[in-house]
Amino acid sequence: EVHLVESGGGLVQPGGSLRLSCAASGFTFSDYGMNWVRQAPGKGLEWVSFINSRRSTGSPKYYADSVKGRFTISRDNAKNSVYLQMNSLRVDDTAVYYCAREAVGARGFDYWGQGTLVTVSS
Amino acid sequence: SYVLTQPPSVSVAPGQTARMTCGGNNIGSKSVHWYQKKPGQAPELVVYDDSDRPSGIPERFSGSNSGNTATLTISRVEAGDEADYYCQVWDSRSDHWVFGGGTKLTVL
């Protein structure tokens, strides 16, 4: 059974940093692209970042405009984990952050974690 | 960047049919995916590639996509279908995944 478990959320001051982790199990992790998606309080879903599977030649990484230059996505296939390094955090980064597995052929996100809450506040 | 437009809310009585739209420029040329999101829960993929259902999703959920509008249809609506529904596409011009703003389905 596929499981995705996020961790690393918490309270951080504006301008601070946080590193989120997502531990995967139940599937061949290195075969799948992975994404981070967030939902701010009372708002809709917002895609944050994508990292390709190991089979891609250059492992492209993509970022939403709102986080580009501040957030960095990475993965460790030996640890079946994907990470999101968040720097220069702003109040409007406050959200529940979900990791999600991208279905083969980019057919949506077929598995999601339960999310981890990031609160940016002074 | 590519924009997806969803109506904020749709209301339907139990047993009736709910239709939720997702508008985008020539969205019919893209593959649209739909998610159900309930409070406190992770989103769940209910339709992918316009009209296919993941295993475990009831046949009551169906989708279509043509021109500038994609539609998620839920037949014989049940109280448990009350949730927010989001459409999603891949925008190849910006290399971004894009979500619509979401539609809140209320079961009267």
Side-chain angles (χ1 to χ4, degrees):
Chain A
E1 187 179 358
V2 173
H3 280 294
L4 299 171
V5 180
E6 301 94 339
S7 60
L11 175 63
V12 62
Q13 291 188 337
S17 297
L18 215 53
R19 188 195 194 208
L20 305 184
S21 300
C22 172
S25 60
F27 64 102
T28 304
F29 177 74
S30 57
D31 285 349
Y32 289 85
M34 298 295 295
N35 291 267
W36 288 95
V37 177
R38 69 184 181 183
Q39 185 174 34
K43 303 295 186 182
L45 299 177
E46 179 188 16
W47 170 77
V48 173
S49 184
F50 162 82
I51 186 166
N52 213 334
S53 69
R54 68 166 170 82
R55 292 186 294 180
S56 66
T57 54
S59 190
K61 307 173 186 179
Y62 304 126
Y63 299 93
D65 294 345
S66 58
V67 307
K68 195 168 185 177
R70 301 187 298 123
F71 290 11
T72 302
I73 192 170
S74 62
R75 65 189 297 158
D76 184 338
N77 291 331
K79 295 183 177 180
N80 289 344
S81 294
V82 60
Y83 307 98
L84 187 68
Q85 177 66 44
M86 305 186 296
N87 299 331
S88 303
L89 281 162
R90 309 189 298 222
V91 171
D92 62 359
D93 292 318
T94 295
V96 175
Y97 285 73
Y98 298 96
C99 69
R101 189 182 85 168
E102 189 162 310
V104 172
R107 295 187 166 102
F109 299 171
D110 57 356
Y111 286 94
W112 297 66
Q114 284 302 307
T116 187
L117 176 62
V118 172
T119 303
V120 185
S121 175
S122 55
Chain B
S1 60
Y2 195 77
V3 176
L4 294 174
T5 302
Q6 298 183 250
S9 62
V10 166
S11 298
V12 64
Q16 299 303 304
T17 298
R19 294 180 180 85
M20 288 167 279
T21 60
C22 176
N25 184 32
N26 197 25
I27 195 174
S29 66
K30 300 180 180 297
S31 291
V32 180
H33 317 300
W34 291 89
Y35 299 87
Q36 179 189 71
K37 176 69 170 69
K38 296 180 179 180
Q41 298 185 19
E44 181 178 17
L45 182 66
V46 294
V47 166
Y48 67 94
D49 283 356
D50 300 338
S51 58
D52 290 331
R53 281 185 313 278
S55 60
I57 300 301
E59 292 183 6
R60 301 185 298 106
F61 288 78
S62 62
S64 63
N65 183 20
S66 178
N68 292 318
T69 305
T71 303
L72 174 69
T73 301
I74 308 175
S75 305
R76 302 180 300 283
V77 166
E78 303 173 356
D81 298 331
E82 190 163 279
D84 295 326
Y85 291 85
Y86 295 87
C87 57
Q88 179 200 36
V89 300
W90 172 252
D91 178 25
S92 58
R93 289 192 177 185
S94 61
D95 288 332
H96 282 32
W97 281 104
V98 179
F99 284 99
T103 296
K104 180 176 181 59
L105 174 64
T106 299
V107 182
L108 301 171

